[in-house]
Amino acid sequence: MVRTTKPKSAERVGKGKVTPMQVAFLVDRYLCDNRFLETRSVFRSEASSLISKSPLREVPCSLIPLDDILNEYISLKEQKVIVDQEKARLDQEKTRVQNLLQGMQDVMNVYNSTAASAPPPPAITSSAAPTAIQVAASTSQPSNSIVVSPLGGAVHHSAPNLMSASLPGNKRVGNFTAPSSTQSVTRKRKSPEVSLGAPPPTSVSSKGVMKKIPRAAAAKGTNYLTFQPSPNTQTPVNNNSVANDSSDLTSTVAKRLCYGPSDMSPPTTNSACPKTPQKQLSPQQEVTPPTNCTILTKERITVSPNKQIGSYTVERSRIVSSFSPVKSSKRDHVKGRLNFDDDDEEATMHSDAPASGDLVSSSYSSGSGSGSEAEVDLFDIDFLNENFPFSEVLGDFDLGCEGITDSCLPQPSDFHMETASGSSPGSVNENLVPDQVVSEFTSTVTEMIQEKDMNTQGSDSMTTVKSITKCLRILSPVEYSASTTFNLNNQLILLPEREREMSSSGMNGVKKQISTRRVANPGKATVLALGKAFPSQVVPQEHLVEGFLRDTKCDDPFIKEKLEHLCKTTTVKTRYTVLSREILDKYPELTTEGSPTIKQRLEIANEAVVEMALEASLGCIKEWGRTVEDITHIVYVSSSEIRLPGGDLYLSAKLGLKSDVNRVMLYFLGCYGGVTGLRVAKDIAENNPGSRVLLTTSETTILGFRPPNKARPYDLVGAALFGDGAAAVIIGADPLPSEAPFMELHYAVQQFVPGTQTVIDGRLTEEGINFKLGRDLPQKIEENIEEFCKKLMGKAGDDSMEFNDMFWTVHPGGPAILNRLETKLKLGREKLECSRRALVDYGNVSSNTILYVMEYMRDELKKKGDGAQEWGLGLAFGPGITFEGLLLRSLAST
Ligand SMILES: CC(C)(COP(=O)(O)OP(=O)(O)OC[C@H]1O[C@@H](n2cnc3c(N)ncnc32)[C@H](O)[C@@H]1OP(=O)(O)O)[C@@H](O)C(=O)NCCC(=O)NCCSC(=O)CC(=O)O
């Protein structure tokens, strides 16, 4: 037993843990052991004060040799350096991983704000928006707020003086004290203002219409007469705008109102995603570390980013075995034998300072737990939300650390990696759908320190083994039709519909259904993205008559009354038009009956349709998320331009498509052209593996604008019904995980009704297009539609399916057509709701309209979730009379 009195603090050396007396004994022992007897004698006399204070005069025999202590000290120092280096390296790794995860989260946020958001509607805004609707003053009076009708010469103080509407065929509305057409067709709709009038006078483009208004000028609004919108009214367009504006896919143009003020308020962006508080992961179970110094940590986090239904699983398994007790006791042994205060006969005592072994293990053992597992529904996590705390959840996630082959770390000879990690870090679930895994990060950090050569007493050895296998698997962000199950390795997997049965009967492990989203049939064309665009001028229906009649210098009360009636019964509330005050100023001959103006009209139209098509295509490609280089084919549909080469080439060039993109131009099909485009794109996509087809439709009514005439009553129908715009979709089969198909084009049919070719009769003349619209069109459609629909339905392979079991995406040629179809097929009132909404919001925009309806239908099907129908029909009608039909399959969540 070695005892000493407690040293006074003033006598302490260094941190006060070793006393001069203890050192003196060690030196004395060293001199004795090495037989430095003379020196020892001198030392003993010189250090007699220290030695004499000790109750022991002689060095205890059991005192550990100084050499040994120093050797151990050096060894431990070396270990500490190694550990510090490793710790620094792991910190770097951690930073790297956190950056990586941040990047992933950013990508997810982008995904969230596009694919997961509802598509935007056409301009117009919520009445609640803090907006002043502005009406442009005449371009000739840029600085005042009075609207001047250049045609009538009258000065008006109200909006009805403004704008024009243009219509296809012979039905056109005139009188365009419209805003300068220098406003871009494609201006962002985020502007809080809906401007009605012309921007500051700008030089009129030689080409006519679509020059962009300088933003600053538009913002100043010096040439605008400002109207306050009614706070209590909101057009359906507004509703849709708010509901759909999040995707930012469409032309976000600051629209100018034509023909006066409206109750429209500016478009708003609605990209907010519901933020759901995250569930806390269940706390890890604390376990008492066993006494073996092996640390095994295994974490697997499997996340399905499907926000609808999903699962997030955290699996942590750690076994922490402390170091060999011998190790710590060795140190204690050393210390103890120096400690003269200890009561223990063996002079062992516990140190306040951590043992060197603790230094090695401390950075890993803190979270020691065992076999904990947390599982959280993605309903509550909102994985794609920007607040999803990836980095928090993943904490000290280690990626890419396989190479902990730091040469300074001794490798244990008896350590097997597989044993430690418990799984192969690189193993990929063989049950996953090909291409479904977007990314997988697996990392194994293994650290092994074997202290073999420490000069310690006895058989002490220290072996530290740390293996951390962490696997983050991000399944396809596509809301894939799948059931979820866990494979043998307990990895979460998603199975497509066609594999579900197999999984339910034969799969081992836990099976858990997290998503029932439908998968497109292999090889079938799907709609992968959608975009739309509109020209700058907005035409509020209630102001159309006055402006149109003024611009066309028509004062016939009969025509006025009839047009007013039709403006109401068409149900249209807003339309967009290329034709503007500026154009009418430049081309006054457009309002003169019989004047040869085809050249002027084409000058305007050719440029305008391509510009709108460009904007719609860009929005669509943005939503799609891939690059223009990935577009292999383009189908361009328009009945509003004529030139060689056609708009397909101009559009391809402006988009920067590859020069070997395969182009198809579909001219002058009329209102069914959008569905024809879908059919052609479908054929291309299904017959060219890997192809991606951009279908763009673009129309303006400028070719058919002309003054009203009693001899052409159908012109008035057109004036009250038609609008301008563009739309685009990407079509492709076998979607990639990064793509988000929402509709399958399952089957397509075109058919004409014999003997009806004169019902819609369009003729190109020197004066533009004359478009005769037969009164009997709704009836002809009614008579033939049922058989046509049944033909399409039959391809779904479900004999029991009835019309009301499907969703209906129908071109809204006019209310009479929709009403007759609804009555004939005994459809529920809600079945044609999307068609009616598109008609109200945009009017009949010819070939584009079906795509606007499809966009609304996409939203509806998503909203319905489980209640959404799987099968639907897409229908459009036009000259011929031609029916174009598609059997559609919704891929929305169910
Ligand atoms: C236009 C309507 C909204 C009007 O409905 P109403 O409820 O007012 O009642 P209504 O049908 O009696 O029509 C009102 C007045 O307009 C006249 N009227 C209606 N349609 C007419 C036409 N095509 N030609 C000439 N006049 C017409 C009626 O004779 C009547 O006049 P009076 O009182 O003097 O008797 C509706 O008829 C309708 O939706 N029609 C279908 C429009 C259409 O054809 N769309 C397809 C566009 S072409 C297309 O989409 C494809 C393509 O372009 O390729």
Side-chain angles (χ1 to χ4, degrees):
M1 177 169 157
V2 180
R3 286 180 181 276
T4 184
T5 56
K6 200 163 191 165
K8 291 175 188 166
S9 58
E11 295 173 325
R12 289 174 179 256
V13 174
K15 288 183 180 175
K17 302 209 169 162
V18 179
T19 66
M21 213 179 333
Q22 292 167 338
V23 175
F25 268 95
L26 282 173
V27 173
D28 185 49
R29 173 65 189 265
Y30 177 79
L31 295 172
C32 177
D33 288 350
N34 292 280
R35 312 215 44 88
F36 298 131
L37 298 178
E38 272 184 45
T39 308
R40 187 188 180 212
S41 170
V42 173
F43 173 73
R44 285 181 74 91
S45 93
E46 284 187 5
S48 61
S49 61
L50 293 174
I51 295 170
S52 64
K53 283 180 189 168
S54 169
L56 301 174
R57 289 299 170 125
E58 287 298 322
V59 177
C61 293
S62 60
L63 188 63
I64 194 169
L66 184 58
D67 287 346
D68 289 353
I69 292 172
L70 293 175
N71 281 337
E72 183 178 9
Y73 173 79
I74 291 167
S75 176
L76 291 174
K77 271 287 184 194
E78 286 171 353
Q79 292 295 328
K80 186 172 186 303
V81 168
I82 290 170
V83 168
D84 286 347
Q85 285 174 345
E86 185 56 24
K87 201 171 166 224
R89 205 184 63 75
L90 288 172
D91 282 347
Q92 280 179 351
E93 280 301 315
K94 183 178 171 184
T95 306
R96 192 179 69 80
V97 169
Q98 281 172 341
N99 291 340
L100 182 64
L101 291 169
Q102 184 58 48
M104 289 164 61
Q105 185 161 331
D106 291 346
V107 170
M108 291 302 179
N109 289 341
V110 170
Y111 170 86
N112 196 33
S113 66
T114 56
S117 303
I124 321 310
T125 55
S126 155
S127 59
T131 310
I133 295 180
Q134 296 186 322
V135 179
S138 159
T139 53
S140 63
Q141 304 218 357
S143 62
N144 68 32
S145 54
I146 298 171
V147 177
V148 178
S149 166
L151 298 176
V155 176
H156 304 272
H157 292 266
S158 61
N161 299 329
L162 296 179
M163 307 310 110
S164 66
S166 56
L167 304 161
N170 296 329
K171 15 247 159 254
R172 296 294 176 263
V173 189
N175 196 13
F176 296 80
T177 42
S180 150
S181 60
T182 54
Q183 199 158 24
S184 167
V185 173
T186 59
R187 182 116 24 91
K188 295 281 180 196
R189 283 191 291 126
K190 286 172 184 164
S191 165
E193 296 179 348
V194 177
S195 55
L196 298 181
T202 53
S203 61
V204 176
S205 158
S206 62
K207 297 257 174 99
V209 228
M210 314 308 286
K211 298 294 174 204
K212 300 200 179 208
I213 186 174
R215 258 183 204 285
K220 281 183 198 162
T222 51
N223 300 312
Y224 294 78
L225 179 63
T226 301
F227 291 80
Q228 291 300 330
S230 163
N232 297 322
T233 53
Q234 192 172 21
T235 67
V237 178
N238 295 348
N239 292 331
N240 297 330
S241 294
V242 172
N244 298 318
D245 206 28
S246 61
S247 67
D248 200 22
L249 309 177
T250 65
S251 158
T252 47
V253 180
K255 305 297 179 191
R256 291 174 295 173
L257 296 182
C258 299
Y259 293 122
S262 84
D263 52 3
M264 296 180 294
S265 46
T268 58
T269 300
N270 179 23
S271 60
C273 300
K275 291 181 182 176
T276 314
Q278 301 147 28
K279 264 189 190 171
Q280 293 297 316
L281 298 181
S282 61
Q284 301 298 305
Q285 275 187 318
E286 290 299 329
V287 293
T288 307
T291 55
N292 216 350
C293 205
T294 301
I295 302 174
L296 301 180
T297 303
K298 175 183 161 189
E299 292 192 13
R300 177 176 295 115
I301 300 173
T302 307
V303 179
S304 163
N306 186 336
K307 286 208 306 180
Q308 307 284 326
I309 308 172
S311 177
Y312 169 87
T313 301
V314 178
E315 199 186 308
R316 292 194 183 105
S317 303
R318 294 184 189 176
I319 299 170
V320 178
S321 303
S322 68
F323 291 101
S324 163
V326 176
K327 183 181 181 323
S328 55
S329 67
K330 176 180 75 174
R331 185 178 167 79
D332 289 346
H333 176 77
V334 172
K335 256 220 76 144
R337 291 185 188 189
L338 280 169
N339 195 324
F340 296 85
D341 292 339
D342 198 278
D343 290 330
D344 188 345
E345 276 291 58
E346 300 303 319
T348 57
M349 67 176 291
H350 296 290
S351 166
D352 294 337
S356 59
D358 295 337
L359 287 174
V360 174
S361 62
S362 61
S363 48
Y364 310 121
S365 61
S366 58
S368 62
S370 172
S372 69
E373 182 171 329
E375 189 170 289
V376 182
D377 281 343
L378 278 185
F379 277 128
D380 298 316
I381 279 193
D382 197 358
F383 172 80
L384 297 175
N385 190 282
E386 59 185 4
N387 292 331
F388 182 77
F390 244 121
S391 36
E392 264 183 56
V393 170
L394 299 177
D396 58 347
F397 207 80
D398 301 287
L399 297 184
C401 301
E402 290 92 343
I404 288 205
T405 52
D406 207 324
S407 57
C408 67
L409 293 176
Q411 302 297 310
S413 56
D414 56 347
F415 178 73
H416 300 288
M417 188 57 233
E418 314 82 82
T419 315
S421 68
S423 70
S424 168
S427 68
V428 176
N429 183 352
E430 63 279 5
N431 292 315
L432 280 165
V433 177
D435 295 329
Q436 195 168 354
V437 174
V438 170
S439 56
E440 175 175 341
F441 300 96
T442 304
S443 119
T444 301
V445 178
T446 307
E447 180 176 306
M448 292 149 284
I449 300 170
Q450 186 162 28
E451 188 183 28
K452 283 180 173 171
D453 302 325
M454 290 182 74
N455 186 7
T456 58
Q457 291 182 346
S459 59
D460 295 355
S461 67
M462 179 185 79
T463 301
T464 301
V465 177
K466 179 175 78 81
S467 171
I468 301 174
T469 299
K470 297 180 180 182
C471 171
L472 170 63
R473 172 166 297 183
I474 307 270
L475 300 177
S476 163
V478 176
E479 292 176 304
Y480 238 80
S481 160
S483 53
T484 303
T485 187
F486 293 86
N487 72 356
L488 290 171
N489 292 326
N490 215 24
Q491 289 173 310
L492 180 70
I493 58 172
L494 298 178
L495 298 178
E497 202 168 45
R498 61 182 180 274
E499 293 180 26
R500 271 192 218 156
E501 283 188 15
M502 283 169 54
S503 87
S504 58
S505 57
M507 187 63 71
N508 289 326
V510 185
K511 182 185 173 196
K512 181 178 181 186
Q513 177 145 335
I514 60 162
S515 170
T516 55
R517 186 184 174 88
R518 296 188 192 97
V519 176
N521 284 298
K524 282 283 182 190
T526 62
V527 187
L528 298 168
L530 203 151
K532 60 184 189 292
F534 299 94
S536 306
Q537 282 73 236
V538 181
V539 185
Q541 191 82 334
E542 65 268 34
H543 298 296
L544 181 134
V545 178
E546 191 176 346
F548 172 66
L549 295 181
R550 184 184 58 248
D551 283 350
T552 55
K553 303 183 201 95
C554 172
D555 54 5
D556 187 325
F558 172 79
I559 287 179
K560 184 177 182 203
E561 187 186 337
K562 194 156 189 171
L563 186 57
E564 277 174 346
H565 170 82
L566 286 168
C567 278
K568 290 193 181 100
T569 56
T570 52
T571 73
V572 176
K573 285 269 196 286
T574 27
R575 284 173 287 160
Y576 301 87
T577 176
V578 166
L579 198 55
S580 65
R581 169 77 270 143
E582 187 183 31
I583 290 173
L584 288 176
D585 284 347
K586 187 181 178 194
Y587 304 104
E589 62 273 27
L590 295 180
T591 61
T592 306
E593 176 86 38
S595 65
T597 48
I598 186 66
K599 181 171 174 292
Q600 293 91 319
R601 292 172 195 272
L602 286 174
E603 258 180 22
I604 300 163
N606 289 344
E607 185 184 356
V609 290
V610 167
E611 191 166 345
M612 288 189 292
L614 175 67
E615 186 67 14
S617 303
L618 289 172
C620 181
I621 293 165
K622 183 180 168 194
E623 178 182 287
W624 179 42
R626 294 177 63 186
T627 64
V628 289
E629 287 80 37
D630 296 327
I631 294 170
T632 57
H633 297 73
I634 181 168
V635 177
Y636 183 73
V637 178
S638 184
S639 299
S640 312
E641 70 150 286
I642 308 168
R643 58 178 152 171
L644 279 79
D648 59 326
L649 181 112
Y650 290 97
L651 177 60
S652 300
K654 280 175 185 264
L655 281 171
L657 301 185
K658 296 178 296 187
S659 60
D660 61 353
V661 67
N662 297 287
R663 294 177 283 122
V664 174
M665 179 84 193
L666 299 174
Y667 262 179
F668 284 94
L669 300 184
C671 293
Y672 66 83
V675 180
T676 309
L678 287 169
R679 177 167 55 80
V680 171
K682 168 181 161 62
D683 282 351
I684 292 170
E686 292 177 358
N687 290 291
N688 296 274
S691 60
R692 289 295 177 264
V693 188
L694 172 66
L695 163 65
T696 305
T697 57
S698 189
E699 307 284 2
T700 173
T701 50
I702 215 153
L703 296 187
F705 169 79
R706 58 180 169 170
N709 189 316
K710 278 185 190 159
R712 301 187 302 267
Y714 40 81
D715 275 6
L716 294 181
V717 175
L721 191 62
F722 288 98
D724 299 358
V729 286
I730 303 274
I731 307 294
D734 302 318
L736 299 178
S738 63
E739 295 173 319
F742 61 89
M743 198 82 87
E744 179 180 303
L745 307 178
H746 196 77
Y747 188 73
V749 175
Q750 187 195 61
Q751 186 174 320
F752 68 89
V753 181
T756 61
Q757 56 268 35
T758 57
V759 174
I760 303 174
D761 186 34
R763 299 292 163 108
L764 201 59
T765 72
E766 293 87 345
E767 141 181 63
I769 244 194
N770 291 336
F771 197 76
K772 183 171 157 284
L773 199 55
R775 290 173 209 256
D776 53 346
L777 177 61
Q779 183 200 333
K780 295 285 182 204
I781 292 173
E782 181 186 3
E783 288 168 1
N784 295 279
I785 195 66
E786 188 169 0
E787 185 197 343
F788 184 71
C789 290
K790 282 185 173 162
K791 189 188 291 185
L792 284 164
M793 257 174 82
K795 298 295 178 184
D798 181 356
D799 292 343
S800 65
M801 192 161 66
E802 296 181 357
F803 289 141
N804 278 304
D805 296 331
M806 295 191 294
F807 61 89
W808 290 77
T809 309
V810 180
H811 166 68
I817 294 170
L818 295 178
N819 292 342
R820 283 177 180 259
L821 196 138
E822 186 180 285
T823 307
K824 177 78 178 177
L825 303 178
K826 300 186 178 59
L827 297 179
R829 180 66 190 170
E830 77 288 354
K831 287 291 172 187
L832 299 180
E833 183 54 31
C834 289
S835 299
R836 293 188 195 279
R837 275 172 59 199
L839 185 61
V840 167
D841 292 346
Y842 313 109
N844 180 338
V845 200
S846 195
S847 64
N848 298 291
T849 330
I850 191 71
L851 299 180
Y852 303 155
V853 178
M854 188 178 273
E855 185 184 37
Y856 284 152
M857 184 56 71
R858 175 172 68 174
D859 296 343
E860 279 305 305
L861 292 168
K862 266 189 186 172
K863 261 192 259 164
K864 283 183 181 164
D866 286 347
Q869 299 90 352
E870 177 173 6
W871 294 100
L873 291 188
L875 303 173
F877 325 99
I881 297 172
T882 301
F883 290 179
E884 279 279 8
L886 288 162
L887 177 63
L888 303 168
R889 240 187 103 227
S890 167
L891 303 178
S893 296
T894 55

